Amino acid sequence: MRVHQPQAQQPTPPFNAPAARRLRAALGMGPEHVAYGLRASYGLPYATPDLVTAWERGIAAPSSPELTALAGVLWCSASELIGAPRTLREHRVARDLAPEDVAHAVGIELLAYERMEESGTWRGNERQSTALAKALDLSLSDFITVTGRDGRLADLLRSAVTTRWQASVRPVAKVVPLERDVLEVVLQELHTGYQGRTAATLNWGGGPATTGSGESGQDFLDRIVDHFWTAVRASSY
C-alpha cells in the first residue's frame, strides 16, 4: 500500500489511532468518507482512504495540521485524538520543544540527543536524567518509561507477585526511586491481588483451579506495570 504524505511534514503529536478508528465507526463513516472530508473541507488534496487507514493502523501519524483537520471531519476535539506520549520524542513534541532545546537543557550535544530519540534509548547520567525530567515535566512513571526501564520493572514485579514480594523490595527500589515503606505496601498489595486471582477455585471434590482464574492471573501479569503505578498513586493519598 502506497501512502502519499505531503513533502513538508510538521512534527507529529502522539496519535491515538484506536480512538480515530472508533470515532469514525461511530459516525458510520468509511475511510473514503474521511478522506473526502479532508480534501473538500480542509484543503488536503493528498488525503486518500489509504492514508486514513494508515493513520488508524499506526503505520503513519498525522501532523498537527492534519490532526486538527481530522478532528473536524470526525466532529471531535483534537485532544480526543491525542494519545499519551510514551517515547522521548513524543514527550518533547507534546511540549512543543525543539531537539536543541532539550539537548541544551540536559547538557548533551545535539547529535547525541537526536540519536537517543531515534534509538529510543536514553543514555544520560544521573544529573542529565534529572535535568531531562525537569525539561519535559515528566512524572515518575513517564520518566521510567522514557529511560527504558519498563521492561526491567515488569520483570521484577512479576517475580514479586509470583514468589516472595519481600525479596523484591530492594531490586525494585534500584529501578524506581521510591521510599522503602511505600514499595513494601505496594508490592504486598500486588502480591495479594495476584495470588487472589490465581488461588485454586475448589469444588466440593477438591477439583483444580478454574480456567477463568488462570486467565485472570495472566492478565494481571500482562498489565503489572500499570497495576504498580495505580497502587503507587493510591498510596500517596
Side-chain angles (χ1 to χ4, degrees):
M1 177 178 66
R2 183 174 181 272
V3 177
H4 176 77
Q5 292 276 25
Q7 293 183 348
Q9 278 288 326
Q10 297 187 23
T12 59
F15 181 60
N16 190 337
R21 185 168 57 251
R22 184 177 63 253
L23 288 165
R24 173 181 61 74
L27 292 171
M29 300 171 67
E32 65 279 8
H33 302 123
V34 175
Y36 175 81
L38 293 172
R39 294 193 303 269
S41 300
Y42 293 93
L44 302 181
Y46 54 83
T48 64
D50 280 350
L51 177 59
V52 174
T53 299
W55 289 345
E56 292 184 355
R57 292 180 178 175
I59 299 172
S63 66
S64 292
E66 290 169 341
L67 186 141
T68 299
L70 180 61
V73 173
L74 297 178
W75 291 84
C76 67
S77 65
S79 63
E80 294 179 73
L81 297 174
I82 296 177
R86 292 186 60 81
T87 67
L88 184 57
R89 180 179 181 279
E90 286 179 350
H91 278 283
R92 174 181 61 77
V93 171
R95 285 157 183 77
D96 198 25
L97 295 172
E100 50 266 33
D101 295 332
V102 180
H104 176 74
V106 301
I108 294 178
E109 292 185 359
L110 176 58
L111 182 59
Y113 173 77
E114 289 178 331
R115 286 174 177 167
M116 292 181 196
E117 275 200 3
E118 291 173 1
S119 67
T121 303
W122 172 250
R123 301 185 183 280
N125 58 33
E126 185 174 350
R127 178 187 61 78
Q128 292 166 334
S129 296
T130 300
L132 177 74
K134 182 177 180 180
L136 297 181
D137 192 23
L138 300 174
S139 66
L140 180 56
S141 60
D142 287 336
F143 178 74
I144 296 301
T145 298
V146 164
T147 53
R149 305 182 197 180
D150 267 353
R152 174 60 176 162
L153 177 59
D155 289 340
L156 291 173
L157 294 176
R158 292 188 187 105
S159 176
V161 302
T162 56
T163 58
R164 293 181 64 255
W165 64 265
Q166 295 89 339
S168 298
V169 174
R170 182 174 295 181
V172 172
K174 290 182 179 180
V175 177
V176 183
L178 289 171
E179 296 294 332
R180 182 182 178 89
D181 58 344
V182 172
L183 284 177
E184 288 177 345
V185 170
V186 169
L187 292 182
Q188 184 176 15
E189 179 181 328
L190 293 179
H191 183 273
T192 301
Y194 174 74
Q195 295 299 325
R197 285 169 170 78
T198 58
T201 303
L202 301 177
N203 58 31
W204 287 354
T210 63
T211 301
S213 65
E215 292 176 350
S216 177
Q218 185 58 53
D219 179 69
F220 190 88
L221 291 179
D222 290 342
R223 301 177 56 218
I224 191 66
V225 174
D226 291 336
H227 290 306
F228 173 77
W229 291 118
T230 297
V232 167
R233 287 190 289 269
S235 70
S236 64
Y237 291 113

